[in-house]
Structure formats: structure tokens, C-alpha cells
Amino acid sequence: MSYVFHRMPKKSLPAAVAGDGIEIIDSTGKRYIDASGGAAVSCLGHSHRRVVEAIERQARQLAYAHTSFFTTQVAEALAEQLVSTAPSGIGHAYFVSGGSEAMEAALKLARQYFVEIGQPQRKHFIARRQSYHGNTLGALAIGGNAWRREPFLPLLIDAHHVSPCYVYRDRLAGESDEAYAQRLADELESKILELGGDTVAAFVAETVVGATMGAVPPVAGYFRKIRAVCDKYGVLLILDEVMCGMGRTGRLYACEEEGVTPDLLTIAKGLGAGYQPIGATLASDRIYDAIVDGSGFFQHGHTYMGHATACAAALEVQRVIDEDNLLANVQARGEQLRAALRARLGDDAHIGDIRGRGLFVGVELVRDRTSKAPFEPQRKLNAAIKQEAMTRGLMVYPMGGTIDGKLGDHVLLAPPFICTPSDIERIVERLGDAIDAALVSTGALAASAS
Ligand code: PLP
């Protein structure tokens, strides 16, 4: 009997009692390698001494001061650190408590920006199918994750969706990356024109798609073309790096690799690395100046925004990543992880695609490799893989609905940046065994053979 209102009340969960580097330990003493960082959160693993001490120092000195009365040194220092490492043009950080709050702030900032500059007719948001931007009503409305949206549809504001950039399934045979990116940019342009060029406020996208599709990076040049379309029609570009940002792809900001600067950039998860709940909306000078020179304030706010203890944790996380040169490790271990997955699973008839960037990796499962046909969703293959992995002391983040919200299965991996080469080997070995076992226990293997 539990008094906690759990996510899935009928499911019985082990109790986590301690963390030790890349592992979580449950109340029976069993250890689990956290190969997904929870949901791409715990980038420094668990119980990191420096971060724990920074939190303790800040809590002793000052845990919290309401942001309508005070600023704090630690929030100022964190903002400076983030802005100084962000793509040029990003000038300010608005601190909140998580990813959905960061997205809500981004949507409202975009809207208020247009009100401030005398374009109040801009009210439409365009995002992509098969994306996730959070579970609060605004973020859920913008997101293109069909099953998450469905029960709440009557409550959601209008949002418009175009195709994701999904090479494995959607690039046509013989189509170059360039031509594919152009086709998608043309689709966005048509959508903007359909809605009325001067009525669209922003285009929203995850730089590298996370949980919904399983670490899907864009093709080269895609975001440059998207940026050009946005600029042509005065539409803002909002990049959601709640999951893929803060070093996960081997760059602090995933969009660095795309060569574009968004107008608004959201981060969370890896920002506080799970040590404190914190997110941020980073704003370009253009947006910030319009608000400051206009009404003078952003009409938004939360009680816990800019929380001093959360900022102290995030600041220490950023220092550790920098001083321990962890981005280089993310790149090296990411290459190793993809190569090891290809070696272990690459010849498996049910592994369709192994993809990702840095330590953000996706494995997509298929019933048939040639046709790329997925398994029947009723088999719940992704859930079985999660369970088999937990049995083997491995945390991964599988999900279904990879293709359209209903069909498809994938596994998302997001191990801590501190992983060693032997950690990667252990992760691949356990995951390989878990996938093999799940294909058998769900009957998927037998069904595909018959
Ligand atoms: N945006 C993306 C890309 C995410 O992956 C998530 C969470 O998984 C969110 C937003 C929402 O973040 P949170 O769960 O912290 O509210």
C-alpha cells in the first residue's frame, strides 16, 4: 500500500536508496547501471561529491530568495556561464524548474515579443509531428506526440505540425540530404503561407529528437534551411534542447553543430543533472531588448524560478563538465557505444537503425528489416525490453509509437558523461541480452519467423 500517487499506480517499483557513480542501488542492494540517466538527466551520474557539496554550501548560506525581491550571486554566475558558452546572439537566461516550464516561458516570450513590437496578429505556432515539448497544457499543445495529446485535445490551444526530419524512414530512395532538407523546409514554408505569413509566431523543434523517436539527429543543413524560411517570414525559431542540450550530444548546445542560433533555446534535464530541478529559457538579445524597451517586464513567473540552491547545483555541474573535459569523453564514448551496439546488434534481423550523437543514442526495432515494418504495438516490445533490462541491472529508456505515435519501438540510451570504456561494454552486453530476451518473451521472434 502506497500513499504516493505514482505515475503507474498498478506497477510495483523497486525503491531506490542510494546512488554510486553510474549506478543506482535499490533497497535489496541490487545495482542498476543508469544507462539512460533516468530520462537523459543524470549526466554526472549519482552522488557526485562536488555537486553535493555545492548544494550544501548554498543551502547553508541562502537556500531561496524570491526573485521579485532579490537576485542572487549564484543565479547571476550561472546565467553568465550559460550565455558565455551559448551560440552568439543569446544574451540572457530565464531560470525555471524544469523542461515544461522552460517551454511555457519560451512560448509566452515569443507571443509577448510580437505584442511588444506591434505585431499582435502573430499567434500561430508550428512544430513537428513526433516531437515532445512537455506535459503542461501549452507545451503539450505544441508537441506532436499523438498519444500524449489525445485525452487532452479539447483543452489544447491550436498548434500546427509539419514532418520531422527522420532519415531512416522518410528520406526517399536516392534523395540527397540536401534535397531532403529542402523538401522539409519547403513544407514549412507552405504551412506558413497557408496560415498567413504574418500570423505565425514561431517554429518549434527539438534539435535532436529525444524520447518520442529515439535520438534522431537532423540531416546536415536542415536547420540552416529552416532558419532561412523563418527569417523570410519574420517567424521566430525556438529550439528545445531540454533533452539533447547541455553536453548530451558532445557539444554544450546541440545547435552548435547545426550552425544556427535560435531566438529562444530551452534547456533543463542535464542542466541540473538531477541534483536539483532546474530549467532555463535562453533568449536572444532581440527578444530581451524588445521586452525591456517595451513594457519593461515579461508577464510571467513562478515562485521557484531562479532558485538559489538549484542554480548552485547547475553551476557546479557546468564547472565539472568543463574542468573534467567531459565533452571529449561524451564524443569518444558515444562513438564507442554506437560501434559496440553495431557489433552486438547490427546483424540482428530485428534491429532497423542505430543512430544518435554523442551519448544520446537510439536503437529502433523492426519486425522486418527490408520493409522496415514495425512489430504489432500489442506486443509491447518496448515495455518488455525495459523490464528485461531492469532484471539484468540496466536502466534504459524504451518507448513505443516511434513512427506515428502508435507504431514502432525504440530504445533510448543516455549514459552519464563519466562513463568509462568498460562501462560502455557492460551496457551493450546487458542491453543485447535484454533485447534478445524481450523478443522471445513477447512472442515477437516466433511471429516474425512464421
Ligand atoms: N522537452 C523535451 C525535448 C523533453 O524531452 C522533455 C521531457 O522529457 C520536456 C521538454 C519536458 O521537460 P520536463 O519533464 O522537465 O517538464
Side-chain angles (χ1 to χ4, degrees), residues 32-260:
Y32 305 79
I33 299 177
D34 189 356
S36 56
V41 173
S42 303
C43 59
L44 295 186
H46 302 275
S47 309
H48 198 286
R49 184 185 50 79
R50 280 186 57 179
V51 185
V52 172
E53 285 171 7
I55 292 170
E56 195 181 328
R57 266 196 311 276
Q58 185 63 45
R60 277 184 205 287
Q61 194 183 327
L62 174 74
Y64 167 75
H66 194 279
T67 45
S68 73
F69 297 87
F70 296 103
T71 185
T72 56
Q73 284 170 342
V74 69
E76 298 292 338
L78 177 61
E80 188 178 346
Q81 167 79 22
L82 294 174
V83 167
S84 65
T85 51
S88 72
I90 296 288
H92 290 84
Y94 185 88
F95 292 121
V96 291
S97 302
S100 301
E101 281 189 11
M103 284 308 299
E104 295 291 329
L107 300 174
K108 288 177 81 176
L109 262 172
R111 169 66 192 160
Q112 192 178 328
Y113 166 77
F114 285 116
V115 173
E116 301 282 1
I117 66 165
Q119 297 186 29
Q121 79 286 357
R122 287 197 187 259
K123 59 173 187 173
H124 293 303
F125 287 89
I126 304 174
R128 301 186 300 182
R129 289 188 289 281
Q130 292 303 91
S131 59
Y132 178 57
H133 299 299
N135 260 335
T136 50
L137 289 176
L140 189 64
I142 302 308
N145 189 320
W147 64 264
R148 291 191 197 253
R149 290 164 50 93
E150 202 178 326
F152 305 103
L153 281 174
L155 308 183
L156 303 182
I157 55 164
D158 273 350
H160 309 273
H161 296 98
V162 292
S163 304
C165 186
Y166 187 14
V167 173
Y168 174 60
R169 286 184 184 276
D170 293 350
R171 189 176 59 189
L172 305 174
E175 192 175 36
S176 66
D177 281 358
E178 220 271 319
Y180 179 39
Q182 190 59 51
R183 180 158 62 85
L184 294 172
D186 291 345
E187 184 186 342
L188 174 62
E189 182 163 13
S190 303
K191 179 59 82 178
I192 291 173
L193 289 172
E194 179 193 317
L195 295 167
D198 65 347
T199 67
V200 179
F203 175 64
V204 185
E206 292 170 72
T207 313
V208 178
V209 180
T212 315
M213 291 166 83
V216 179
V219 293
Y222 166 79
F223 273 111
R224 281 184 207 269
K225 289 182 189 294
I226 291 291
R227 177 82 259 188
V229 170
C230 289
D231 290 346
K232 184 169 171 189
Y233 296 96
V235 170
L236 299 178
L237 176 62
I238 301 177
L239 289 184
D240 178 345
E241 298 203 358
V242 165
M243 199 176 238
C244 65
M246 294 290 92
R248 179 54 55 202
T249 62
R251 311 269 192 133
L252 213 44
Y253 298 93
C255 60
E256 282 170 35
E257 205 158 330
E258 307 308 320
V260 297

Side-chain angles (χ1 to χ4, degrees), residues 181 244 321 422:
C244 65
I321 289 175
S422 65

Side-chain angles (χ1 to χ4, degrees), residues 11 44 50 54-55 74 151 154 167 172 176 184 250 273 279 288 303 319 354 380 389 411 428 440 447:
K11 195 168 175 232
L44 295 186
R50 280 186 57 179
I55 292 170
V74 69
V167 173
L172 305 174
S176 66
L184 294 172
Y288 180 79
T303 300
R319 287 178 175 155
I354 295 171
K380 297 191 176 25
V411 180
V428 172
V440 173

Side-chain angles (χ1 to χ4, degrees), residues 262-328:
D263 300 286
L264 293 158
L265 176 57
T266 56
I267 51 178
K269 300 192 185 266
L271 175 60
Y275 288 88
Q276 289 283 292
I278 182 165
T281 307
L282 307 184
S284 64
D285 295 324
R286 163 156 78 123
I287 308 267
Y288 180 79
D289 292 345
I291 303 240
V292 174
D293 299 343
S295 64
F297 72 104
F298 177 29
Q299 200 171 313
H300 190 57
H302 299 284
T303 300
Y304 287 127
M305 61 181 292
H307 194 283
T309 313
C311 289
L315 184 58
E316 198 61 22
V317 170
Q318 299 318 303
R319 287 178 175 155
V320 170
I321 289 175
D322 181 37
E323 289 164 26
D324 293 357
N325 200 18
L326 288 180
L327 294 186

